[in-house]
Amino acid sequence: MKQLYLHGEIPAQSYIELIRRCPELRVLRWHIKQDDPCPVSDIISVFKLYCPSVEQLILEAAHLMDENLSEILNGCHRLISFRLPRSKIGELTFLSLSRHFTTLQSLHLEHYTGLTSKMTQQIMASCWRLTALTATTLDAIDILGDANEEESIGTETGIRDQSQEWVCTDLESFDVFICGLEGKPIEWHQKVIQRLAKMTKLTSLSVGPRRYHHSSSTGTRDGLDLRLKTGLDALSSMKQLGCLFFNGVWQQMEEQDIRWMIETWPKLYVLQGCMHSDPKQRWKLDQILEERNICTPVFEDDLRGESVEESEEDEDESEENGDSYSDDSGDSDTS
């Protein structure tokens, strides 16, 4: 047996006996119940003595401590795929994970409490075989290199690109919230986009937060601005891109931005996120995408469900009541 999926009411110790009988095991997915004591030493022994060929590990064990997970990773000979959902871990686990950086091809740390932006940057600069990455956040300052206040004075952008280069240029799926851009000049967005442009094999790109409140469908202004004026055209190298997700990130896209995406990314079939703060503009952009059969999933609270006539009636009412109407499509968010 080369694959095992362990999930049920059986005690973890009993599963250990089962795993020991699978010397050719390569893929292990194990959900360890929170109230079930985890036999860490036995797991390590199994990996070292009985199943040395395990190379894909999905471990759902929210109650494991940092040092426990670190020991388990140290017990694995060679990992090409690792997924750790809903775990609270720290630097010890990350240090042990780094032993596998040269072999990892798939890494999913979507609810990895304790994963810092600097750690994610280290992954991007180290895992050259990586084809799929899911992480929490990646701050622009870590992508581009730190710049202290004194060095920023008198410079146009306040940044100096001195961080480690990304080596995982074979990535096909990237799902990380790129943040730290609120109030920054356009040049910051341009430089981050230029980094992304090196990943020419991407089929799925997600740059929004994994958790955000739908009650504010326009999203945070701390994310990446995806417009031609902020350097979007650098992503013309992504000819394989089929899905673009920017859920929870404030955008002010115009028709030219959307038409550029359609013409430049021939395989695009999903564009998900709030494209503009103005519901009328969102509706117009939706129509352009629908004409090309590109899916734009709608959130329950998204105002795209309104008709243009209803939106205009609301605007007229506002003007009659003496309220001023603002398009709010300015560029103050990036300039």
Side-chain angles (χ1 to χ4, degrees):
M1 186 178 296
K2 295 185 178 181
Q3 299 186 36
L4 271 181
Y5 176 25
L6 307 178
H7 187 294
E9 300 301 320
I10 301 176
Q13 190 62 51
S14 299
Y15 280 135
I16 290 291
E17 298 301 322
L18 174 60
I19 298 172
R20 283 175 178 165
R21 299 173 187 174
C22 305
E24 296 183 6
L25 188 66
R26 292 185 177 275
V27 181
L28 175 62
R29 178 172 182 173
W30 192 357
H31 176 82
I32 303 175
K33 297 187 301 178
Q34 191 157 356
D35 58 350
D36 191 4
C38 184
V40 176
S41 59
D42 288 333
I43 294 176
I44 297 171
S45 174
V46 163
F47 287 157
K48 287 185 175 181
L49 302 177
Y50 297 91
C51 307
S53 298
V54 170
E55 57 185 13
Q56 298 184 46
L57 179 62
I58 301 175
L59 191 59
E60 300 182 53
H63 59 299
L64 284 181
M65 303 298 290
D66 185 27
E67 56 267 26
N68 299 145
L69 287 166
S70 175
E71 291 171 0
I72 291 172
L73 283 172
N74 285 333
C76 296
H77 175 65
R78 174 183 178 271
L79 287 179
I80 64 171
S81 179
F82 181 60
R83 183 168 186 173
L84 189 65
R86 298 183 295 277
S87 291
K88 298 178 181 179
I89 54 179
E91 294 184 0
L92 288 176
T93 300
F94 187 78
L95 182 61
S96 297
L97 181 64
S98 67
R99 293 181 53 252
H100 304 278
F101 277 178
T102 57
T103 58
L104 278 171
Q105 298 174 22
S106 177
L107 185 56
H108 297 280
L109 307 171
E110 55 265 46
H111 300 297
Y112 178 112
T113 303
L115 182 70
T116 66
S117 170
K118 291 185 183 298
M119 290 177 181
T120 305
Q121 168 61 23
Q122 188 176 341
I123 291 170
M124 295 294 292
S126 306
C127 301
W128 62 275
R129 294 179 185 269
L130 211 59
T131 60
L133 173 65
T134 303
T136 49
T137 61
L138 186 51
D139 197 298
I141 200 70
D142 294 320
I143 298 174
L144 303 177
D146 192 12
N148 62 43
E149 187 175 351
E150 292 182 1
E151 290 172 330
S152 299
I153 295 174
T155 64
E156 193 172 310
T157 65
I159 54 175
R160 52 186 176 89
D161 195 344
Q162 291 192 352
S163 70
Q164 290 180 291
E165 288 289 334
W166 291 351
V167 298
C168 47
T169 54
D170 286 338
L171 270 175
E172 297 174 10
S173 175
F174 177 91
D175 185 354
V176 185
F177 174 33
I178 295 179
C179 60
L181 289 162
E182 184 169 9
K184 296 297 190 294
I186 286 178
E187 288 81 3
W188 282 64
H189 297 261
Q190 291 173 335
K191 286 184 174 293
V192 171
I193 290 174
Q194 287 167 10
R195 283 292 185 97
L196 290 172
K198 297 178 181 180
M199 299 186 290
T200 59
K201 298 181 181 180
L202 278 179
T203 61
S204 179
L205 172 63
S206 178
V207 295
R210 298 194 62 80
R211 296 180 180 179
Y212 63 94
H213 299 290
H214 290 296
S215 58
S216 177
S217 60
T218 52
T220 175
R221 300 190 185 214
D222 195 37
L224 191 60
D225 188 344
L226 298 169
R227 291 183 291 173
L228 290 172
K229 69 172 297 179
T230 58
L232 180 66
D233 56 328
L235 300 185
S236 60
S237 57
M238 296 183 180
K239 297 302 183 184
Q240 305 302 314
L241 193 66
C243 303
L244 175 62
F245 304 97
F246 45 90
N247 308 67
V249 178
W250 171 273
Q251 300 292 337
Q252 295 290 84
M253 295 179 183
E254 301 295 337
E255 181 176 337
Q256 62 175 346
D257 302 312
I258 297 301
R259 293 200 180 279
W260 180 91
M261 294 179 189
I262 294 172
E263 294 170 2
T264 308
W265 301 326
K267 297 186 178 182
L268 186 68
Y269 66 94
V270 173
L271 190 69
Q272 184 169 320
C274 187
M275 293 177 281
H276 203 283
S277 59
D278 180 2
K280 291 190 299 181
Q281 177 69 0
R282 290 203 300 272
W283 186 86
K284 292 176 182 177
L285 299 180
D286 271 342
Q287 298 307 299
I288 296 173
L289 291 166
E290 287 177 10
E291 290 174 0
R292 301 296 292 268
N293 295 318
I294 296 174
C295 180
T296 58
V298 179
F299 304 124
E300 291 181 2
D301 63 334
D302 198 333
L303 296 178
R304 281 178 289 186
E306 294 182 338
S307 67
V308 174
E309 291 80 63
E310 288 173 337
S311 181
E312 290 175 344
E313 286 174 6
D314 291 340
E315 180 184 337
D316 292 337
E317 271 185 352
S318 176
E319 291 177 348
E320 288 174 5
N321 292 332
D323 296 331
S324 60
Y325 173 77
S326 174
D327 187 3
D328 197 23
S329 60
D331 305 315
S332 59
D333 50 310
T334 56
S335 59

